Coordinates of all heavy atoms in Angstrom, one line a residue:
M16 N 0.8 -1.2 0.0 CA 0.0 0.0 0.0 C 0.9 1.2 0.0 O 1.8 1.4 0.8 CB -0.9 0.0 1.2 CG -2.0 1.0 1.2 SD -3.3 0.6 2.3 CE -3.3 2.1 3.3
N17 N 0.6 2.2 -0.9 CA 1.4 3.4 -1.0 C 1.0 4.4 0.1 O 0.0 4.4 0.7 CB 1.1 4.1 -2.3 CG 1.7 3.3 -3.5 OD1 2.4 2.3 -3.3 ND2 1.3 3.7 -4.7
Y18 N 2.0 5.2 0.4 CA 1.8 6.4 1.3 C 1.3 7.6 0.4 O 1.6 7.7 -0.7 CB 3.2 6.8 1.9 CG 3.6 5.9 3.0 CD1 4.3 4.7 2.8 CD2 3.4 6.3 4.3 CE1 4.7 3.9 3.8 CE2 3.8 5.5 5.4 CZ 4.4 4.3 5.1 OH 4.8 3.5 6.2
K19 N 0.6 8.4 1.1 CA 0.3 9.7 0.5 C 1.4 10.7 0.8 O 2.0 10.7 1.9 CB -1.0 10.2 1.2 CG -1.5 11.6 0.6 CD -2.8 12.0 1.2 CE -3.1 13.4 0.7 NZ -4.3 13.9 1.4
L20 N 1.7 11.5 -0.2 CA 2.9 12.4 -0.1 C 2.4 13.8 0.2 O 1.4 14.3 -0.5 CB 3.7 12.4 -1.4 CG 4.4 11.1 -1.7 CD1 5.0 11.1 -3.1 CD2 5.4 10.7 -0.7
K21 N 3.0 14.5 1.1 CA 2.8 15.9 1.3 C 4.1 16.6 1.1 O 5.1 16.4 1.7 CB 2.4 16.1 2.8 CG 2.0 17.5 3.2 CD 1.5 17.6 4.6 CE 1.3 19.0 5.0 NZ 0.8 19.1 6.4
I22 N 4.1 17.4 0.1 CA 5.4 18.1 -0.4 C 5.4 19.6 0.1 O 4.5 20.3 -0.2 CB 5.5 18.1 -2.0 CG1 5.1 16.7 -2.5 CG2 6.8 18.6 -2.4 CD1 6.1 15.6 -2.2
S23 N 6.5 19.9 0.8 CA 6.6 21.3 1.3 C 6.8 22.3 0.1 O 7.3 21.9 -1.0 CB 7.7 21.4 2.3 OG 9.0 21.4 1.6
R24 N 6.6 23.5 0.4 CA 6.9 24.6 -0.5 C 8.4 24.6 -0.9 O 8.7 24.8 -2.1 CB 6.5 26.0 0.0 CG 6.8 27.1 -0.9 CD 6.8 28.4 -0.3 NE 5.5 29.0 -0.1 CZ 5.3 30.2 0.5 NH1 6.3 30.8 1.0 NH2 4.1 30.6 0.5
Q25 N 9.2 24.5 0.1 CA 10.7 24.5 -0.2 C 11.1 23.4 -1.2 O 11.8 23.7 -2.1 CB 11.5 24.3 1.1 CG 13.0 24.6 1.0 CD 13.8 23.3 0.5 OE1 13.3 22.2 0.6 NE2 15.0 23.6 0.0
V26 N 10.5 22.2 -1.1 CA 10.8 21.1 -2.0 C 10.3 21.5 -3.4 O 11.0 21.3 -4.4 CB 10.2 19.8 -1.5 CG1 10.4 18.7 -2.6 CG2 10.9 19.4 -0.2
R27 N 9.1 22.0 -3.5 CA 8.6 22.4 -4.8 C 9.4 23.5 -5.5 O 9.7 23.4 -6.7 CB 7.1 22.8 -4.7 CG 6.2 21.7 -4.3 CD 4.7 22.2 -4.3 NE 3.8 21.3 -3.7 CZ 3.3 20.2 -4.3 NH1 3.6 20.0 -5.5 NH2 2.5 19.4 -3.6
E28 N 9.7 24.5 -4.7 CA 10.5 25.6 -5.2 C 11.9 25.2 -5.6 O 12.4 25.6 -6.7 CB 10.5 26.8 -4.2 CG 9.2 27.5 -4.1 CD 9.2 28.5 -3.0 OE1 10.2 28.7 -2.3 OE2 8.2 29.2 -2.9
F29 N 12.5 24.4 -4.8 CA 13.9 23.9 -5.2 C 13.8 23.0 -6.4 O 14.7 23.2 -7.3 CB 14.4 23.0 -4.0 CG 15.8 22.6 -4.2 CD1 16.9 23.4 -3.8 CD2 16.2 21.4 -4.8 CE1 18.2 23.0 -3.9 CE2 17.5 21.0 -5.0 CZ 18.5 21.8 -4.5
Q30 N 12.9 22.2 -6.5 CA 12.7 21.3 -7.7 C 12.5 22.1 -9.0 O 13.0 21.8 -10.1 CB 11.6 20.3 -7.5 CG 11.4 19.3 -8.6 CD 10.3 18.3 -8.4 OE1 9.6 18.4 -7.4 NE2 10.2 17.4 -9.3
A31 N 11.7 23.2 -8.9 CA 11.4 24.1 -10.0 C 12.6 24.7 -10.6 O 12.6 25.0 -11.8 CB 10.4 25.1 -9.6
V32 N 13.7 25.0 -9.9 CA 14.8 25.7 -10.4 C 15.9 24.7 -10.9 O 16.9 25.2 -11.4 CB 15.4 26.7 -9.4 CG1 14.4 27.8 -9.1 CG2 15.9 26.0 -8.2
L33 N 15.7 23.4 -10.7 CA 16.7 22.4 -11.1 C 16.7 22.3 -12.7 O 15.6 22.6 -13.3 CB 16.4 21.1 -10.5 CG 16.6 20.9 -9.0 CD1 16.1 19.5 -8.6 CD2 18.1 21.1 -8.7
G34 N 17.8 21.9 -13.2 CA 17.8 21.5 -14.6 C 16.9 20.4 -14.9 O 16.5 19.6 -14.0
L35 N 16.5 20.2 -16.2 CA 15.6 19.2 -16.5 C 15.9 17.8 -16.0 O 15.1 17.1 -15.5 CB 15.4 19.1 -18.1 CG 14.4 18.2 -18.6 CD1 13.0 18.5 -18.1 CD2 14.4 18.2 -20.1
Q36 N 17.1 17.4 -16.2 CA 17.6 16.0 -15.8 C 17.4 15.8 -14.3 O 16.8 14.8 -13.8 CB 19.0 15.8 -16.2 CG 19.5 14.4 -15.8 CD 21.0 14.2 -16.2 OE1 21.6 15.0 -16.8 NE2 21.5 13.0 -15.9
H37 N 17.9 16.8 -13.5 CA 17.8 16.7 -12.0 C 16.3 16.8 -11.6 O 15.9 16.1 -10.6 CB 18.6 17.7 -11.3 CG 20.1 17.5 -11.5 ND1 20.7 16.4 -11.0 CD2 21.0 18.2 -12.2 CE1 22.0 16.5 -11.3 NE2 22.2 17.6 -12.1
R38 N 15.5 17.6 -12.2 CA 14.1 17.8 -11.9 C 13.4 16.5 -12.1 O 12.6 16.1 -11.2 CB 13.5 18.9 -12.7 CG 12.1 19.3 -12.3 CD 11.6 20.6 -12.9 NE 11.7 20.6 -14.4 CZ 12.4 21.5 -15.1 NH1 13.2 22.4 -14.4 NH2 12.5 21.4 -16.4
R39 N 13.6 15.8 -13.2 CA 13.0 14.5 -13.5 C 13.4 13.5 -12.5 O 12.6 12.7 -12.0 CB 13.3 14.1 -14.9 CG 12.6 14.8 -15.9 CD 12.9 14.3 -17.3 NE 12.1 14.9 -18.3 CZ 12.4 14.9 -19.6 NH1 13.5 14.2 -20.0 NH2 11.7 15.6 -20.5
A40 N 14.7 13.5 -12.1 CA 15.2 12.5 -11.1 C 14.5 12.7 -9.8 O 14.1 11.7 -9.1 CB 16.7 12.6 -11.0
V41 N 14.4 13.9 -9.3 CA 13.7 14.2 -8.1 C 12.3 13.8 -8.1 O 11.8 13.2 -7.2 CB 13.9 15.7 -7.7 CG1 13.0 16.1 -6.5 CG2 15.4 16.1 -7.4
K42 N 11.6 14.2 -9.2 CA 10.2 13.8 -9.3 C 10.0 12.3 -9.3 O 9.1 11.8 -8.5 CB 9.6 14.3 -10.7 CG 8.2 14.2 -10.8 CD 7.7 14.8 -12.1 CE 6.2 14.7 -12.3 NZ 5.8 15.4 -13.6
Q43 N 10.8 11.5 -10.0 CA 10.7 10.1 -9.9 C 11.0 9.5 -8.6 O 10.4 8.6 -8.1 CB 11.6 9.4 -11.0 CG 11.4 7.9 -11.1 CD 10.0 7.5 -11.5 OE1 9.5 8.0 -12.5 NE2 9.4 6.6 -10.7
A44 N 12.1 10.0 -7.9 CA 12.4 9.5 -6.6 C 11.3 9.8 -5.6 O 11.1 8.9 -4.7 CB 13.7 10.2 -6.2
I45 N 10.7 10.9 -5.7 CA 9.6 11.2 -4.8 C 8.4 10.3 -5.0 O 7.8 9.8 -4.1 CB 9.2 12.7 -4.8 CG1 10.3 13.6 -4.2 CG2 7.8 12.9 -4.1 CD1 10.1 15.1 -4.4
R46 N 8.1 10.0 -6.3 CA 7.1 9.0 -6.6 C 7.4 7.6 -6.0 O 6.6 7.0 -5.4 CB 6.9 8.9 -8.1 CG 6.0 9.8 -8.7 CD 5.6 9.4 -10.1 NE 5.5 10.6 -11.0 CZ 6.1 10.8 -12.1 NH1 6.9 9.8 -12.6 NH2 6.0 11.9 -12.8
D47 N 8.7 7.2 -6.2 CA 9.1 6.0 -5.6 C 9.0 5.9 -4.1 O 8.8 4.9 -3.5 CB 10.6 5.6 -6.1 CG 10.7 5.4 -7.6 OD1 9.6 5.1 -8.2 OD2 11.8 5.4 -8.1
L48 N 9.3 7.1 -3.5 CA 9.2 7.2 -2.0 C 7.8 6.8 -1.5 O 7.7 6.2 -0.4 CB 9.6 8.6 -1.6 CG 9.6 8.9 -0.1 CD1 10.6 8.0 0.6 CD2 9.9 10.3 0.2
A49 N 6.8 7.1 -2.3 CA 5.4 6.7 -1.8 C 5.3 5.2 -1.7 O 4.5 4.7 -0.9 CB 4.4 7.2 -2.9
R50 N 6.2 4.5 -2.3 CA 6.2 3.0 -2.2 C 7.4 2.5 -1.3 O 7.7 1.4 -1.3 CB 6.3 2.3 -3.6 CG 5.1 2.6 -4.5 CD 5.1 1.9 -5.8 NE 6.3 2.1 -6.6 CZ 6.5 3.2 -7.4 NH1 5.6 4.1 -7.5 NH2 7.6 3.3 -8.1
E51 N 8.0 3.5 -0.6 CA 9.2 3.3 0.2 C 10.3 2.6 -0.6 O 11.0 1.8 0.0 CB 8.8 2.4 1.4 CG 8.0 3.1 2.4 CD 7.8 2.4 3.7 OE1 7.2 1.3 3.7 OE2 8.4 2.8 4.7
Q52 N 10.5 3.1 -1.8 CA 11.6 2.6 -2.6 C 12.7 3.7 -2.7 O 12.3 4.9 -2.7 CB 11.1 2.2 -4.0 CG 10.2 1.1 -4.0 CD 9.7 0.7 -5.4 OE1 9.8 1.5 -6.3 NE2 9.2 -0.5 -5.5
G53 N 13.9 3.4 -2.8 CA 15.0 4.3 -2.9 C 16.0 4.1 -1.8 O 15.8 3.3 -0.9
D54 N 17.0 4.9 -1.8 CA 18.1 4.9 -0.8 C 17.7 5.7 0.4 O 17.9 6.9 0.4 CB 19.4 5.4 -1.4 CG 20.6 5.2 -0.5 OD1 20.4 4.9 0.7 OD2 21.7 5.4 -1.0
I55 N 17.0 5.1 1.3 CA 16.4 5.7 2.5 C 17.2 5.4 3.7 O 17.5 4.2 3.9 CB 14.9 5.3 2.7 CG1 14.1 5.7 1.5 CG2 14.3 5.8 4.0 CD1 12.7 5.0 1.4
R56 N 17.5 6.4 4.5 CA 18.1 6.1 5.8 C 17.5 7.0 6.9 O 17.2 8.2 6.7 CB 19.6 6.5 5.7 CG 20.4 5.6 4.8 CD 21.7 5.2 5.3 NE 22.6 4.6 4.3 CZ 22.6 3.4 3.9 NH1 21.7 2.6 4.4 NH2 23.4 2.9 3.0
A57 N 17.4 6.4 8.1 CA 17.0 7.2 9.2 C 18.1 8.1 9.7 O 19.3 7.7 9.7 CB 16.5 6.3 10.4
L58 N 17.7 9.3 10.1 CA 18.7 10.3 10.6 C 18.8 10.1 12.1 O 17.9 9.6 12.8 CB 18.4 11.7 10.3 CG 18.3 12.0 8.8 CD1 17.8 13.4 8.5 CD2 19.6 11.7 8.1
R59 N 20.0 10.5 12.7 CA 20.2 10.3 14.1 C 20.5 11.6 14.8 O 20.5 12.7 14.2 CB 21.4 9.4 14.3 CG 21.2 8.0 13.7 CD 22.4 7.1 13.9 NE 23.4 7.6 12.9 CZ 24.7 7.3 12.9 NH1 25.1 6.4 13.8 NH2 25.5 7.8 12.1
D60 N 20.7 11.5 16.1 CA 21.1 12.6 17.0 C 20.0 13.7 16.9 O 18.9 13.4 17.1 CB 22.5 13.1 16.7 CG 23.5 12.0 16.8 OD1 23.4 11.2 17.7 OD2 24.5 12.0 16.0
D61 N 20.4 14.9 16.6 CA 19.5 16.1 16.6 C 18.4 15.9 15.6 O 17.4 16.6 15.7 CB 20.2 17.4 16.4 CG 21.1 17.7 17.6 OD1 20.9 17.2 18.7 OD2 22.0 18.6 17.4
L62 N 18.6 15.1 14.6 CA 17.6 14.9 13.5 C 16.9 13.6 13.6 O 16.2 13.2 12.6 CB 18.3 15.1 12.1 CG 19.0 16.4 11.9 CD1 19.7 16.4 10.5 CD2 18.0 17.5 11.9
S63 N 16.9 13.0 14.8 CA 16.2 11.8 15.0 C 14.7 12.0 14.7 O 14.1 13.0 15.0 CB 16.4 11.3 16.5 OG 15.7 10.1 16.7
G64 N 14.1 11.0 14.1 CA 12.7 11.1 13.7 C 12.5 11.5 12.3 O 11.4 11.4 11.7
Y65 N 13.6 11.9 11.6 CA 13.6 12.3 10.2 C 14.3 11.2 9.4 O 15.1 10.5 10.0 CB 14.2 13.7 10.0 CG 13.4 14.8 10.6 CD1 13.7 15.3 11.9 CD2 12.3 15.4 9.9 CE1 12.9 16.3 12.4 CE2 11.6 16.4 10.5 CZ 11.9 16.8 11.7 OH 11.1 17.8 12.3
H66 N 14.1 11.2 8.1 CA 14.8 10.3 7.2 C 15.3 11.1 6.1 O 14.8 12.2 5.8 CB 13.8 9.2 6.7 CG 13.3 8.3 7.8 ND1 12.4 8.7 8.7 CD2 13.6 7.0 8.1 CE1 12.2 7.7 9.6 NE2 12.9 6.7 9.2
R67 N 16.2 10.5 5.3 CA 16.7 11.1 4.1 C 16.6 10.2 3.0 O 16.7 8.9 3.1 CB 18.1 11.6 4.3 CG 19.2 10.5 4.4 CD 19.8 10.3 3.0 NE 21.0 9.4 3.1 CZ 21.1 8.3 2.4 NH1 20.2 7.8 1.6 NH2 22.2 7.6 2.6
L68 N 16.3 10.7 1.8 CA 16.3 10.0 0.6 C 17.4 10.5 -0.3 O 17.5 11.7 -0.6 CB 14.9 10.2 -0.1 CG 14.8 9.6 -1.5 CD1 14.9 8.0 -1.5 CD2 13.5 10.0 -2.2
K69 N 18.3 9.7 -0.7 CA 19.4 10.1 -1.6 C 18.9 10.1 -3.0 O 18.4 9.1 -3.5 CB 20.6 9.0 -1.5 CG 21.8 9.4 -2.3 CD 22.8 8.3 -2.1 CE 24.0 8.6 -3.0 NZ 25.0 7.5 -2.8
I70 N 19.1 11.3 -3.7 CA 18.7 11.4 -5.1 C 19.9 12.1 -5.8 O 20.1 13.3 -5.8 CB 17.5 12.4 -5.2 CG1 16.4 12.0 -4.3 CG2 17.1 12.4 -6.7 CD1 15.3 13.0 -4.2
G71 N 20.8 11.2 -6.2 CA 22.1 11.7 -6.9 C 22.8 12.5 -5.9 O 23.2 12.1 -4.8
R72 N 23.1 13.8 -6.3 CA 23.9 14.7 -5.4 C 23.0 15.4 -4.4 O 23.5 16.2 -3.6 CB 24.7 15.6 -6.2 CG 23.9 16.7 -6.9 CD 24.8 17.6 -7.7 NE 24.1 18.7 -8.2 CZ 24.5 19.5 -9.2 NH1 25.6 19.2 -9.8 NH2 23.8 20.5 -9.6
H73 N 21.7 15.2 -4.4 CA 20.7 15.8 -3.6 C 20.2 14.9 -2.5 O 20.3 13.7 -2.6 CB 19.5 16.4 -4.4 CG 19.9 17.3 -5.4 ND1 20.2 17.0 -6.7 CD2 20.2 18.7 -5.3 CE1 20.5 18.1 -7.4 NE2 20.6 19.1 -6.6
R74 N 19.8 15.5 -1.4 CA 19.2 14.7 -0.3 C 17.8 15.3 0.1 O 17.7 16.6 0.2 CB 20.1 14.7 1.0 CG 21.5 14.1 0.7 CD 21.4 12.7 0.3 NE 22.7 12.1 0.2 CZ 23.4 12.1 -0.9 NH1 22.9 12.6 -2.0 NH2 24.6 11.5 -1.0
L75 N 16.8 14.5 0.1 CA 15.5 14.9 0.5 C 15.3 14.5 2.0 O 15.4 13.3 2.3 CB 14.4 14.3 -0.4 CG 13.0 14.5 0.0 CD1 12.6 15.9 -0.3 CD2 12.1 13.5 -0.7
I76 N 14.9 15.4 2.8 CA 14.6 15.1 4.2 C 13.1 15.0 4.3 O 12.3 15.8 3.9 CB 15.1 16.3 5.2 CG1 16.5 16.6 5.0 CG2 14.8 15.9 6.6 CD1 17.5 15.5 5.3
F77 N 12.7 13.9 5.0 CA 11.2 13.6 5.1 C 11.0 12.9 6.5 O 11.9 12.5 7.2 CB 10.7 12.8 4.0 CG 11.2 11.3 4.0 CD1 10.4 10.3 4.5 CD2 12.4 11.0 3.4 CE1 10.9 9.0 4.5 CE2 12.8 9.7 3.4 CZ 12.1 8.7 3.9
R78 N 9.7 12.8 6.8 CA 9.3 12.1 8.0 C 8.0 11.4 7.7 O 7.2 11.8 6.9 CB 9.2 13.0 9.2 CG 8.1 14.0 9.2 CD 8.1 14.8 10.4 NE 7.2 16.0 10.2 CZ 7.1 17.0 11.1 NH1 7.9 17.0 12.1 NH2 6.3 18.0 10.9
Y79 N 7.8 10.4 8.5 CA 6.5 9.6 8.4 C 5.5 10.3 9.4 O 5.9 10.6 10.5 CB 6.7 8.2 8.8 CG 7.6 7.4 7.8 CD1 8.9 7.2 8.0 CD2 7.0 6.8 6.7 CE1 9.7 6.5 7.1 CE2 7.8 6.1 5.8 CZ 9.1 6.0 6.0 OH 9.9 5.2 5.1
A80 N 4.3 10.5 8.9 CA 3.3 11.1 9.7 C 2.1 10.1 9.8 O 2.0 9.2 9.0 CB 2.8 12.4 9.0
P81 N 1.3 10.3 10.8 CA 0.1 9.4 11.0 C -0.8 9.4 9.8 O -0.8 10.4 9.0 CB -0.6 10.0 12.2 CG 0.4 10.8 12.9 CD 1.4 11.3 11.9
G82 N -1.4 8.3 9.5 CA -2.3 8.2 8.4 C -1.7 7.8 7.1 O -2.1 8.2 6.1
R83 N -0.5 7.1 7.2 CA 0.3 6.7 6.0 C 0.6 7.9 5.1 O 0.4 7.9 3.9 CB -0.5 5.6 5.3 CG -0.6 4.3 6.1 CD -0.8 3.1 5.3 NE 0.1 2.8 4.2 CZ 1.3 2.2 4.3 NH1 1.7 1.8 5.5 NH2 2.0 1.9 3.3
I84 N 1.1 8.9 5.8 CA 1.6 10.1 5.0 C 3.1 10.3 5.2 O 3.6 10.1 6.3 CB 0.9 11.4 5.6 CG1 -0.6 11.3 5.3 CG2 1.4 12.6 5.0 CD1 -1.4 12.4 6.0
I85 N 3.7 10.6 4.1 CA 5.1 11.0 4.1 C 5.2 12.5 3.8 O 4.7 12.9 2.8 CB 6.0 10.2 3.1 CG1 6.0 8.7 3.5 CG2 7.4 10.8 3.0 CD1 6.8 7.8 2.5
E86 N 5.8 13.2 4.8 CA 6.0 14.6 4.6 C 7.4 14.9 4.0 O 8.4 14.7 4.8 CB 5.8 15.4 5.9 CG 4.4 15.2 6.5 CD 4.3 15.9 7.9 OE1 5.3 16.0 8.6 OE2 3.1 16.2 8.2
C87 N 7.4 15.4 2.8 CA 8.7 15.7 2.2 C 9.0 17.2 2.6 O 8.3 18.1 2.1 CB 8.6 15.6 0.7 SG 8.3 13.9 0.2
I88 N 10.0 17.4 3.4 CA 10.1 18.7 4.1 C 11.2 19.6 3.5 O 11.0 20.8 3.3 CB 10.5 18.4 5.6 CG1 9.3 17.6 6.2 CG2 10.7 19.7 6.3 CD1 9.7 17.1 7.6
F89 N 12.3 19.0 3.1 CA 13.5 19.8 2.7 C 14.3 19.1 1.8 O 14.6 17.9 1.9 CB 14.3 20.2 4.0 CG 15.3 21.3 3.8 CD1 14.9 22.6 3.9 CD2 16.6 21.0 3.6 CE1 15.8 23.6 3.7 CE2 17.5 22.0 3.5 CZ 17.1 23.4 3.5
I90 N 14.9 19.8 0.8 CA 15.8 19.2 -0.2 C 16.9 20.2 -0.5 O 16.7 21.4 -0.5 CB 15.1 18.8 -1.5 CG1 16.0 18.0 -2.4 CG2 14.5 19.9 -2.2 CD1 15.4 17.3 -3.6
E91 N 18.1 19.7 -0.6 CA 19.3 20.5 -1.0 C 20.4 19.6 -1.4 O 20.3 18.4 -1.3 CB 19.7 21.3 0.3 CG 20.8 22.3 0.1 CD 20.6 23.3 -1.0 OE1 19.7 24.2 -0.8 OE2 21.2 23.2 -2.0
E92 N 21.5 20.2 -1.9 CA 22.7 19.4 -2.2 C 23.2 18.7 -0.9 O 23.2 19.3 0.1 CB 23.7 20.2 -2.9 CG 23.4 20.6 -4.3 CD 24.5 21.2 -5.1 OE1 25.7 20.9 -4.8 OE2 24.2 22.0 -6.0
R93 N 23.8 17.6 -1.1 CA 24.3 16.8 0.0 C 25.2 17.5 0.9 O 25.1 17.5 2.1 CB 25.1 15.5 -0.5 CG 25.5 14.6 0.6 CD 26.6 13.6 0.2 NE 27.8 14.2 -0.4 CZ 28.8 14.7 0.4 NH1 28.7 14.7 1.7 NH2 29.8 15.2 -0.2
R94 N 26.1 18.3 0.4 CA 27.1 19.0 1.2 C 26.5 20.1 2.1 O 27.1 20.5 3.1 CB 28.2 19.6 0.4 CG 27.8 20.6 -0.6 CD 28.9 21.1 -1.5 NE 28.5 21.9 -2.5 CZ 28.4 23.3 -2.4 NH1 28.7 23.8 -1.3 NH2 27.9 24.0 -3.4
L95 N 25.2 20.5 1.8 CA 24.6 21.6 2.6 C 23.4 21.1 3.3 O 23.0 21.8 4.3 CB 24.2 22.7 1.6 CG 25.2 23.3 0.7 CD1 24.6 24.2 -0.3 CD2 26.2 24.1 1.6
V96 N 22.7 20.1 3.0 CA 21.4 19.8 3.4 C 21.2 19.6 4.9 O 20.3 20.2 5.5 CB 20.8 18.5 2.7 CG1 21.5 17.2 3.1 CG2 19.3 18.4 2.9
Y97 N 22.1 18.9 5.6 CA 21.8 18.6 7.0 C 22.0 19.9 7.8 O 21.2 20.2 8.7 CB 22.7 17.5 7.5 CG 22.5 16.3 6.7 CD1 23.5 15.8 5.8 CD2 21.3 15.5 6.8 CE1 23.3 14.7 5.0 CE2 21.1 14.4 6.0 CZ 22.1 14.0 5.1 OH 21.9 12.9 4.4
E98 N 23.1 20.7 7.5 CA 23.3 21.9 8.3 C 22.2 22.9 8.1 O 21.7 23.5 9.0 CB 24.6 22.5 7.8 CG 25.1 23.7 8.6 CD 26.4 24.2 8.2 OE1 27.3 23.4 8.0 OE2 26.5 25.4 8.0
M99 N 21.7 23.0 6.8 CA 20.7 24.0 6.5 C 19.3 23.6 7.1 O 18.6 24.4 7.6 CB 20.5 24.2 5.0 CG 21.7 24.9 4.3 SD 21.5 25.0 2.6 CE 20.2 26.2 2.4
F100 N 19.0 22.3 7.0 CA 17.8 21.8 7.6 C 17.8 21.9 9.1 O 16.8 22.4 9.7 CB 17.6 20.3 7.2 CG 16.3 19.7 7.8 CD1 15.1 20.2 7.4 CD2 16.4 18.7 8.8 CE1 13.9 19.6 8.0 CE2 15.2 18.2 9.3 CZ 14.0 18.6 8.9
E101 N 18.9 21.6 9.8 CA 18.9 21.7 11.2 C 18.8 23.2 11.6 O 18.1 23.5 12.6 CB 20.3 21.2 11.7 CG 20.3 20.9 13.2 CD 21.4 20.1 13.7 OE1 22.3 19.6 12.8 OE2 21.6 19.9 14.9
S102 N 19.4 24.1 10.9 CA 19.3 25.5 11.1 C 17.8 26.0 11.0 O 17.3 26.8 11.8 CB 20.2 26.3 10.2 OG 20.0 27.7 10.3
E103 N 17.2 25.6 9.9 CA 15.8 25.9 9.6 C 14.9 25.4 10.7 O 14.0 26.1 11.2 CB 15.4 25.4 8.2 CG 14.0 25.8 7.8 CD 13.8 27.3 7.6 OE1 14.8 28.0 7.5 OE2 12.6 27.7 7.5
M104 N 15.1 24.2 11.1 CA 14.2 23.6 12.2 C 14.4 24.4 13.5 O 13.5 24.7 14.2 CB 14.5 22.1 12.4 CG 14.1 21.3 11.2 SD 12.4 21.5 10.8 CE 11.5 20.9 12.3
S105 N 15.7 24.8 13.8 CA 15.9 25.6 15.0 C 15.2 26.9 15.0 O 14.7 27.4 16.0 CB 17.4 25.8 15.2 OG 18.1 24.6 15.4
R106 N 15.2 27.5 13.8 CA 14.6 28.8 13.6 C 13.1 28.7 13.8 O 12.4 29.4 14.5 CB 14.9 29.4 12.2 CG 14.3 30.8 12.0 CD 14.4 31.2 10.6 NE 13.7 30.4 9.6 CZ 12.3 30.5 9.5 NH1 11.6 31.4 10.2 NH2 11.7 29.8 8.6
I107 N 12.5 27.6 13.2 CA 11.0 27.4 13.3 C 10.6 27.1 14.8 O 9.7 27.7 15.3 CB 10.6 26.3 12.4 CG1 10.7 26.7 10.9 CG2 9.2 25.8 12.7 CD1 10.5 25.6 9.9
I108 N 11.4 26.2 15.4 CA 11.1 25.9 16.8 C 11.2 27.0 17.7 O 10.4 27.2 18.7 CB 11.9 24.7 17.3 CG1 11.5 23.4 16.5 CG2 11.8 24.4 18.8 CD1 12.4 22.2 16.6
G109 N 12.2 27.9 17.5 CA 12.4 29.1 18.3 C 11.3 30.1 18.2 O 11.2 30.9 19.1
T110 N 10.6 30.1 17.1 CA 9.5 31.1 16.9 C 8.2 30.6 17.4 O 7.2 31.3 17.5 CB 9.3 31.5 15.4 OG1 9.0 30.3 14.7 CG2 10.6 32.1 14.9
E111 N 8.1 29.3 17.8 CA 6.8 28.7 18.3 C 6.6 29.0 19.8 O 7.5 29.2 20.6 CB 6.7 27.2 18.1 CG 6.6 26.9 16.6 CD 6.5 25.4 16.3 OE1 6.7 24.6 17.2 OE2 6.3 25.1 15.1

């Protein structure tokens, strides 16, 4: 049974500015994610509860939500993604 996908604005905007080849790869990888296919790993330490999907040189950060939903939260190049995501989460949590 497939998961329902919830795609964040950041993921949509990032995907929109990618070149055609990378944009197609991200789109296909996200579709595959609904069937839990792909290079998926659970994150640890401060990012515990989140997972990453490897898409070439990019990493998609997501989490499983109740009701068989996968929330695709953040995407960026591998060398930047974890630091930027952690910083963004700290900023969001600090404003709540």
